[in-house]
Amino acid sequence: MFGRKMRGLALVLALTMAAAQPVSATSLDEKQKALEQQQAKTKSNLASQQNKIDELEKKKASLQKEIDKMDSDLVELMAEIKTLKGDIEDKEADIESTKAELQTAQADQEKQYDSMKTRIAYIYENGGSAAWAEMILSDANISNLLNKAEYTQEIYDYDRKALDTYVETVENVQQLERDLEDEKAELVTMKEENEEEEKALNAALEKKKKTSANYASEISAAEKKAQEYSDLIRQQSAQIRQIQQEKAAQEAARKAAEEAKKRAEAERKAAEEAAKKAAAANKGTSSSTSKPSGGTSSGSTSSGSTSSGSSSSGNTSSGSTSKPSYSGKGSSVVAYATQFVGNPYVWGGESLTNGADCSGFIKSVYAHFGVSLPHSSSAMRSCGVGVSYSDAMPGDIICYSGHVAIYMGGGAIVHASNKKDGIKISYNAAYRTILAVRRVI
């Protein structure tokens, strides 16, 4: 009996000592709290880093739109330069053709002049003007006399008319050559200005692309940092789960120790009661037995769920066109626009007095009549309704590659030409390739 009592006390002592070995619950709680605080700070850092990424992405996307627009403008500018080169080559061919016409006229004049000199030489070689008069008057037949006089007059008239024709032809050809040279000079000036704009646009585009590359580098670094924060959060979550598991195991051990202590106490009391009964009965042969009992432990598991959702939307758009008609207001547009002839050309400008470029000039002119137009020569090719050049009326917009003008009628246009000439009137609307004619009023 004494042996059983000693075994019960030893079991209680062993269980008590076992329960005291692990880290205390208070220590685990403090460790978990510290980890949770660290994790909260890490999550805050991650959110801050994600906001930085979002901001950089927005800036990069906005910059990319600017780059795309500049790329589009550059392509259009290069196409315009190419078209101008072709127009210049055509103009040079026209100038060479005009020079050939002038040479032909001069050759005809030289032939005529040689013939006239031969006739004059013949007269003087035969006695000069007196001999010529004697030859005419020597004929006794009045009819022959008149015929000779008339023939002489015809020769004179022919020479006079031929000379006048030559002078007129030479003047016309020389004027045409001057006009073609002026048109060529205007095209060359526009080409040079466009090439300058191309260089400036390329420089600006290169700068923006470098900025975009810097954004991409910053985004990459921020994403790497965000990934480090995400990895740290996962590690901290794993450590928190481990502490929670240790706390659960410690709690299970504590409950098991309490159960064992209760069983040991019950056995001790039972043994003492049995001893008292045995002593009271004074029986040396009495005995008692007890069977140990065990406990079980159980655990619990938890599960979670996730949900997700998505949405999408779309839209469609439609356009309409109208048949070309003429309101008659175009003459008023022309009269208003020609007031500003002689004012300066300023690239990107919209001022009719202080300076405008080709599309800015037309935009401001039509704004006076309540018509809203874009500040873009290429965009104007889609405004209003299209008409053929043969049907063009005053006020219609003549569209070239990278240039626009207002048709005045009679083949003339008024437009903001270039830095050299400013706003001017040109008398040959077809001086370069016409891409479209648009009627907006």
Side-chain angles (χ1 to χ4, degrees):
M1 183 173 63
F2 179 76
R4 287 197 301 273
K5 290 174 67 177
M6 291 299 296
R7 286 196 299 270
L9 290 173
L11 177 60
V12 172
L13 180 61
L15 289 174
T16 303
M17 291 179 65
Q21 291 300 320
V23 180
S24 68
T26 301
S27 177
L28 288 175
D29 287 339
E30 290 174 352
K31 188 175 181 180
Q32 180 178 343
K33 183 178 180 180
L35 278 170
E36 287 174 345
Q37 289 174 346
Q38 292 173 8
Q39 188 179 58
K41 185 177 180 180
T42 305
K43 288 180 177 179
S44 176
N45 291 337
L46 176 61
S48 176
Q49 204 67 21
Q50 192 59 55
N51 289 336
K52 180 179 179 181
I53 293 171
D54 292 342
E55 187 65 26
L56 288 170
E57 288 285 4
K58 288 178 182 178
K59 290 181 179 179
K60 186 172 180 290
S62 177
L63 186 61
Q64 188 60 48
K65 288 182 180 179
E66 294 180 27
I67 291 173
D68 293 342
K69 177 63 169 59
M70 293 175 74
D71 277 332
S72 176
D73 291 344
L74 186 59
V75 169
E76 184 176 337
L77 195 59
M78 292 172 66
E80 181 182 349
I81 292 172
K82 183 177 180 181
T83 300
L84 284 170
K85 286 180 180 178
D87 290 340
I88 291 170
E89 291 173 359
D90 292 342
K91 202 64 64 179
E92 288 173 343
D94 291 341
I95 292 172
E96 291 301 319
S97 176
T98 302
K99 289 180 178 178
E101 291 178 14
L102 182 59
Q103 290 175 353
T104 300
Q106 289 173 337
D108 291 342
Q109 186 272 341
E110 290 174 0
K111 290 179 182 179
Q112 177 191 349
Y113 184 58
D114 289 341
S115 297
M116 189 165 55
K117 286 193 298 183
T118 300
R119 287 193 293 274
I120 294 172
Y122 175 80
I123 293 172
Y124 281 96
E125 286 171 0
N126 289 277
S129 59
W132 184 257
E134 182 181 353
M135 181 183 70
I136 295 175
L137 297 173
S138 64
D139 200 327
N141 189 315
I142 188 63
S143 177
N144 289 338
L145 175 63
L146 293 174
N147 286 337
K148 289 179 179 180
E150 183 179 357
Y151 177 69
T152 301
Q153 184 64 41
E154 286 177 355
I155 292 176
Y156 171 79
D157 291 342
Y158 171 79
D159 287 339
R160 181 77 263 173
K161 184 178 180 180
L163 180 60
D164 291 342
T165 301
Y166 163 73
V167 171
E168 182 181 358
T169 300
V170 170
E171 288 178 352
N172 288 340
V173 174
Q174 288 177 338
Q175 182 60 47
L176 178 59
E177 184 178 5
R178 286 193 294 271
D179 291 342
L180 291 172
E181 289 287 358
D182 288 342
E183 291 174 358
K184 176 189 172 183
E186 181 176 339
L187 292 172
V188 169
T189 300
M190 293 178 69
K191 180 174 109 21
E192 291 173 349
E193 290 176 358
N194 285 342
E195 287 173 343
E196 290 178 4
E197 291 174 14
E198 180 185 10
K199 290 179 182 178
L201 192 58
N202 269 319
L205 187 59
E206 186 64 25
K207 185 176 180 180
K208 288 187 179 295
K209 286 183 177 179
K210 286 182 179 179
T211 303
S212 179
N214 290 338
Y215 280 144
S217 178
E218 289 182 37
I219 289 171
S220 178
E223 287 177 341
K224 182 179 179 181
K225 194 68 177 177
Q227 185 60 48
E228 291 175 0
Y229 285 137
S230 295
D231 293 341
L232 181 57
I233 289 172
R234 283 194 292 272
Q235 293 173 8
Q236 291 168 337
S237 295
Q239 290 174 347
I240 291 171
R241 285 195 299 271
Q242 183 178 359
I243 289 174
Q244 290 172 340
Q245 290 172 357
E246 289 179 8
K247 287 170 66 177
Q250 192 176 75
E251 180 64 16
R254 184 187 66 77
K255 289 181 178 180
E258 287 180 354
E259 289 295 329
K261 183 178 180 181
K262 288 178 181 179
R263 288 197 298 273
E265 183 64 20
E267 289 180 357
R268 184 184 65 78
K269 288 181 178 180
E272 288 178 355
E273 187 66 25
K276 288 178 181 180
K277 289 182 178 179
N282 196 20
K283 293 181 180 179
T285 59
S286 63
S287 65
S288 63
T289 62
S290 63
K291 296 182 179 181
S293 62
T296 61
S297 64
S298 62
S300 63
T301 61
S302 63
S303 63
S305 63
T306 63
S307 63
S308 65
S310 64
S311 64
S312 64
S313 65
N315 55 50
T316 60
S317 62
S318 62
S320 63
T321 60
S322 59
K323 293 182 179 180
S325 61
Y326 186 61
S327 65
K329 296 180 181 179
S331 298
S332 299
V333 173
V334 171
Y336 180 71
T338 52
Q339 296 180 63
F340 307 101
V341 170
N343 289 341
Y345 173 99
V346 175
W347 188 77
E350 295 183 0
S351 173
L352 296 173
T353 54
N354 297 326
D357 59 15
C358 61
S359 56
F361 169 67
I362 293 179
K363 177 183 178 182
S364 296
V365 167
Y366 270 98
H368 179 74
F369 295 89
V371 178
S372 178
L373 294 175
H375 191 159
S376 167
S377 58
S378 59
M380 282 187 183
R381 294 203 292 267
S382 302
C383 295
V385 293
V387 297
S388 64
Y389 176 59
S390 60
D391 294 330
M393 297 294 288
D396 288 347
I397 300 175
I398 306 296
C399 302
Y400 310 93
S401 175
H403 190 62
V404 282
I406 297 176
Y407 188 63
M408 299 175 62
I413 55 174
V414 57
H415 56 139
S417 178
N418 53 55
K419 292 178 182 178
K420 177 183 176 183
D421 299 328
I423 298 173
K424 62 179 285 189
I425 294 175
S426 298
Y427 293 95
N428 179 15
Y431 78 105
R432 56 183 295 194
T433 306
I434 296 175
L435 299 182
V437 180
R438 307 300 296 184
R439 184 166 298 163
V440 297
I441 196 169

